[in-house]
Amino acid sequence: MKQKRIMTIQDLSCFGKCSLTVAHPIMSAMGLEVCPVPTAVLSTHTAGFTDWTFRDLGDDLPAIAEHWKSAGLTFDGVSTGYLGTEAMIGTVADYFQLFPEMVKIVDPVFADNGKLYPAFDMAYAKGVAGLCAKADVIVPNLTEAAFMLGEEYVSEGYDEAYIHALLKRLTGLGCRTAVVTGVRYDKAHQGAVAYDAKTGEYTQYFREHIDVSFHGTGDVFTSALAGAIVLGKSMADALRIAVDYTVDCIKATMPDVKEHWYGVKFEDCLPALIDAVRG
Ligand code: PXL
């Protein structure tokens, strides 16, 4: 069978287990050919560290796309994450236009727990909402959903009707499918809910809630989800594979929560992910 090829556009944080350093190995393990496009090089991620270095690679990205295009390369999918600058959002939109054959999966990656990440402002959030309009599938958490819709962040006490209506408003940004992560209808469970505006179908998958917070779990989830979608899995299977893998990674890291706060031990759980993908 022809190998599926995905490009992934996000930063390279040299230390911290997030963005490209998780997306590339996870999607490779799933059997995809992964083509990384680094938007920036940072010494670490920006959540919990201070004084990180940041080299913007924005000037290099248009030439990479043009070379790939002139070499006749095509891609089955693209997965985007932390982009870093407003200008980069426009560059990524150019990639979408240049390779229209790709399934476009956009994780907004600019906020969590009711707050914007340190490097971003409302203009960046608006820019990402514009990119979501050009995507096929978007993967915001509840904070990013609220910022992009210009609504109040609701952290708890919501029900299924609220999440379903929120998903409909998210697809109203212009994408076919929205997947919202970190959903908790009760204290014991956590999961993801998807809405396909074309079929009108909702899909969800929940596991037990684990009361610990690691950085980078959103990137782990979206990498597994994007890999599964581009491999042609149904949304039900993609959600199950991605949620189960994320929970596995959190559980594998729990014994070392103190020294491993910056990211999860996703490597230990790759064998189970490979088994899940092969079904
Ligand atoms: O995991 C999201 C992420 C990716 N890349 C960088 C980040 C963050 C979140 O803070 O700082 C550089």
Side-chain angles (χ1 to χ4, degrees):
M1 206 174 72
K2 192 170 172 287
Q3 190 179 25
K4 299 286 186 185
R5 181 184 293 151
I6 188 166
M7 66 167 86
T8 177
I9 313 178
Q10 46 191 324
D11 74 277
L12 175 60
S13 285
C14 301
F15 184 89
K17 298 203 192 205
C18 67
S19 36
L20 281 186
T21 65
V22 303
H24 196 158
I26 288 171
M27 294 193 293
S28 293
M30 296 173 84
L32 294 133
E33 178 180 353
V34 183
C35 306
V37 181
T39 56
V41 178
L42 293 85
S43 50
T44 66
H45 62 62
T46 67
F49 295 99
T50 52
D51 304 324
W52 60 84
T53 70
F54 182 91
R55 163 97 39 204
D56 183 1
L57 298 182
D59 289 347
D60 294 359
L61 261 62
I64 292 171
E66 279 153 28
H67 181 209
W68 283 358
K69 193 72 193 174
S70 68
L73 300 180
T74 57
F75 296 84
D76 299 294
V78 58
S79 159
T80 78
Y82 188 104
L83 300 178
T85 65
E86 256 186 274
M88 189 66 71
I89 297 167
T91 304
V92 171
D94 293 342
Y95 270 69
F96 286 7
Q97 227 176 6
L98 213 52
F99 300 95
E101 72 278 5
M102 311 187 283
V103 177
K104 300 166 195 72
I105 300 145
V106 171
D107 184 339
V109 191
F110 63 79
D112 204 2
N113 298 315
K115 283 195 278 215
L116 291 165
Y117 289 148
F120 301 134
D121 57 16
M122 274 314 292
Y124 185 87
K126 272 223 168 93
V128 173
L131 188 65
C132 286
K134 301 178 171 80
D136 297 299
V137 182
I138 64 170
V139 194
N141 57 38
L142 286 169
T143 303
E144 289 155 347
F147 273 115
M148 291 198 295
L149 294 169
E151 298 175 2
E152 192 111 334
Y153 166 58
V154 179
S155 63
E156 56 183 12
Y158 49 78
D159 59 9
E160 188 177 79
Y162 171 81
I163 293 296
H164 284 193
L166 180 77
L167 284 162
K168 268 197 175 163
R169 292 196 295 281
L170 284 166
T171 56
L173 291 172
C175 51
R176 171 172 167 174
T177 302
V179 180
V180 76
T181 58
V183 177
R184 294 178 67 193
Y185 293 140
D186 58 63
K187 287 205 181 333
H189 299 91
Q190 179 160 346
V193 188
Y195 173 65
D196 181 333
K198 193 163 169 199
T199 62
E201 203 178 338
Y202 292 97
T203 313
Q204 63 179 42
Y205 186 78
F206 284 83
R207 284 282 303 270
E208 68 275 23
H209 170 69
I210 304 170
D211 199 17
V212 64
S213 168
F214 288 106
H215 184 75
T217 49
D219 296 348
V220 166
F221 174 84
T222 298
S223 301
L225 185 81
I229 289 171
V230 173
L231 287 172
K233 304 283 183 193
S234 67
M235 183 53 81
D237 283 346
L239 286 184
R240 178 179 47 77
I241 288 167
V243 171
D244 280 347
Y245 180 55
T246 309
V247 170
D248 279 358
C249 291
I250 292 169
K251 284 187 167 174
T253 319
M254 288 274 286
D256 299 317
V257 60
K258 276 233 164 67
E259 62 272 37
H260 237 278
W261 59 271
Y262 55 85
V264 287
K265 295 181 175 178
F266 69 93
E267 302 91 339
D268 289 355
C269 306
L270 287 173
L273 175 64
I274 294 166
D275 287 346
V277 168
R278 291 184 181 161

